[in-house]
Amino acid sequence: MTRPLSVGIAGLGTVGSGVLKLLRDNAEIVTAHAGRPIAVTAVSARDRSKDRGVAVTGLRWYDDPVALAGDPGVDVVVELIGGSDGPARAVAEATIGAGKPLVTANKALLAVHGGELARAAEERGVALGFEAAVAGGIPAIKALREGLAGNRISNVAGILNGTCNYILTQMRERGREFADVLADAQKLGYAEADPSFDIDGVDAAHKLAILAALAFGRPVSFDDVHVEGIRRISALDIAFAGELGYRIKLLGIARQTEAGIETRVHPCMVPQTAPIGRVDGVFNAVVAEGDFVGRVMLEGRGAGAGPTASAVAADLIDIARGRFTPVWGASAACLSSAPSVPMSSHVGAYYLRLMVVDRPGVIADVTAILRDIGVSLESMLQRGRSPGEAVPVVLVTHETRESAMRDALDRIGALPTVMEEPALIRIEEG
């Protein structure tokens, strides 16, 4: 029999334990697809005594993950520690430096240091697999890097964070405010004790930076991603979105424009009838559009031990078979140098909600500002009257430039009749 592929796992948390379980429980099917057995022989984790629900007896144990990378009996290292620096970065660099393939589920590491890791992997002629870094068990990386390789991709977008999608779904279905639903999500384990990376859009931005690099064949560029989270989304906005025929989703969007590549993560209103508008709960979705294939959408669970372990196993099977694809789909010499487009240049339609004092002349003041800046309105909603009190007013614009909307927001927010910071949500037609 062909010699087994010997795997070392750095990080034995939920996902690491899931990888161990999958490779053991599905050993027969993995061997059939890989052409040889894949066996975990060494691990690294901080706590040897922790019950992980899977046996680790008989495995070589390293307290230092860098030492694991140097184990001559390990053919490939799976990095599941997390974080863009520290031990995760150290073991990644040590693995590639030792001339060994690396598999990682670490989107932060790739978004921040993916350029240098890709160059190192290319120089050493080793594989760098990261199917598990974006959208869990959804094969988004393979779809962009391999399945759609013959297409010019015009845009890629997605629901890339299950925590945010769950919160927004619960807010819509139950009519509850953000803070209440977040607290419930933390109790259920859908949100971390410190949920800021999720709800502030950073997690989704890491993933979008990776997808954009693959879609447009250029080095990863996390610093160029515009990032907004969902903290300011209110039950009132979600209700108004429903009236207008939309749902609110946190989307990551990368798009080819005449000026270059725009990459942005922020709440969007999408039509209720759009396929991505119907992706609810903890599910993720990735949509790509190519010149020959048209639109392709993938949907599934974006996190958790099982889906993420499934993606790790796919990379290990490729390595066992000797299948090798450049990290960003092409060698470094062939990557694009297309510039990034600033958010201020974005053009689109906008939802604007104001809380204004209900008295004559208020709407005229607001529309005069929009007129002077050159922003035209498609529709307006005002529900109820309460003279002298604050009432909500919703304005929907035609397509306009982001810089103009930001100017309008500053001027409108300064009006004495506007009682709180205006709420702005961009509209995407799906």
Side-chain angles (χ1 to χ4, degrees):
M1 177 182 286
T2 306
R3 185 178 70 83
L5 181 73
S6 175
V7 176
I9 298 179
L12 270 186
T14 301
V15 175
S17 300
V19 172
L20 260 177
K21 180 173 173 56
L22 184 150
L23 292 177
R24 288 173 178 173
D25 290 358
N26 287 1
E28 185 177 353
I29 192 169
V30 167
T31 299
H33 284 121
R36 55 172 163 154
I38 297 178
V40 177
T41 58
V43 295
S44 176
R46 287 178 294 186
D47 185 358
R48 297 190 183 215
S49 62
K50 182 179 178 181
D51 181 6
R52 295 173 169 84
V54 59
V56 294
T57 53
L59 302 178
R60 295 188 300 283
W61 191 287
Y62 290 89
D63 296 316
D64 177 8
V66 173
L68 169 73
D71 184 334
V74 168
D75 299 319
V76 54
V77 173
V78 177
E79 183 277 307
L80 301 172
I81 298 169
S84 61
D85 289 288
R89 183 181 181 186
V91 73
E93 292 174 344
T95 300
I96 294 170
K100 297 179 181 182
L102 174 71
V103 173
T104 179
N106 192 337
K107 61 267 184 182
L109 176 71
L110 289 164
V112 177
H113 301 296
E116 58 204 70
L117 290 174
R119 284 191 295 273
E122 184 172 332
E123 289 169 4
R124 295 305 300 258
V126 297
L128 170 52
F130 53 98
E131 185 64 61
V134 178
I138 303 173
I141 304 303
K142 280 186 176 293
L144 281 172
R145 190 166 62 178
E146 299 167 33
L148 303 180
N151 288 257
R152 287 185 179 88
I153 304 297
S154 57
N155 63 81
V156 61
I159 295 170
L160 303 176
N161 184 273
T163 298
C164 288
N165 204 39
Y166 173 83
I167 290 171
L168 293 172
T169 300
Q170 290 294 302
M171 288 177 69
R172 186 189 79 242
E173 291 180 347
R174 299 166 64 187
R176 298 180 66 195
E177 290 293 351
F178 169 81
D180 295 335
V181 176
L182 172 59
D184 285 350
Q186 288 172 312
K187 290 175 186 174
L188 292 168
Y190 293 143
E192 302 286 345
D194 177 3
S196 55
F197 253 50
D198 291 322
I199 64 176
D200 291 333
V202 178
D203 174 79
H206 284 147
K207 297 169 184 175
L208 182 70
I210 294 167
L211 290 177
L214 290 166
F216 304 113
R218 67 171 194 166
V220 67
S221 185
F222 173 68
D223 289 342
D224 291 326
V225 181
H226 173 83
V227 189
E228 295 175 30
I230 64 170
R231 288 182 192 266
R232 295 194 64 233
I233 300 299
S234 70
L236 185 60
D237 293 321
I238 287 177
F240 274 123
E243 280 194 57
L244 294 165
Y246 294 105
R247 289 181 176 176
I248 298 177
K249 299 291 182 182
L250 182 76
L251 295 185
I253 300 168
R255 182 169 292 151
Q256 176 85 58
T257 73
E258 291 183 2
I261 309 297
E262 63 174 33
T263 50
R264 47 196 171 91
V265 170
H266 52 73
C268 296
M269 287 195 176
V270 297
Q272 293 172 347
T273 55
I276 206 164
R278 299 195 293 269
V279 178
D280 283 337
V282 297
F283 279 70
N284 283 194
V286 176
V287 180
E289 193 150 353
D291 56 350
F292 274 75
V293 75
R295 182 170 293 190
V296 174
M297 177 168 157
L298 302 169
E299 177 186 354
R301 293 189 177 275
T308 310
S310 171
V312 168
D315 282 337
L316 290 173
I317 288 168
D318 278 350
I319 290 167
R321 281 286 187 186
R323 292 192 286 257
F324 184 93
T325 305
V327 175
W328 305 122
S331 63
C334 296
L335 293 179
S336 165
S337 58
S340 296
V341 177
M343 190 64 195
S344 58
S345 298
H346 170 66
V347 175
Y350 294 80
Y351 160 98
L352 177 62
R353 177 184 52 80
L354 310 174
M355 296 300 295
V356 300
V357 177
D358 187 8
R359 70 185 187 208
V362 172
I363 301 302
D365 292 340
V366 171
T367 55
I369 290 172
L370 294 173
R371 178 201 63 212
D372 292 346
I373 293 174
V375 176
S376 63
L377 291 179
E378 179 183 285
S379 61
M380 183 177 76
L381 290 177
Q382 182 176 3
R383 292 289 179 264
R385 291 296 311 279
S386 184
E389 301 294 326
V391 294
V393 174
V394 167
L395 309 171
V396 177
T397 77
H398 289 292
E399 283 197 347
T400 191
R401 189 173 288 270
E402 176 90 10
S403 55
M405 279 305 300
R406 286 294 169 190
D407 188 7
L409 241 61
D410 290 342
R411 298 192 196 185
I412 291 169
L415 291 173
T417 50
V418 176
M419 305 306 293
E420 61 183 55
E421 185 178 352
L424 178 75
I425 302 175
R426 297 166 192 87
I427 297 173
E428 295 287 329
E429 289 304 328

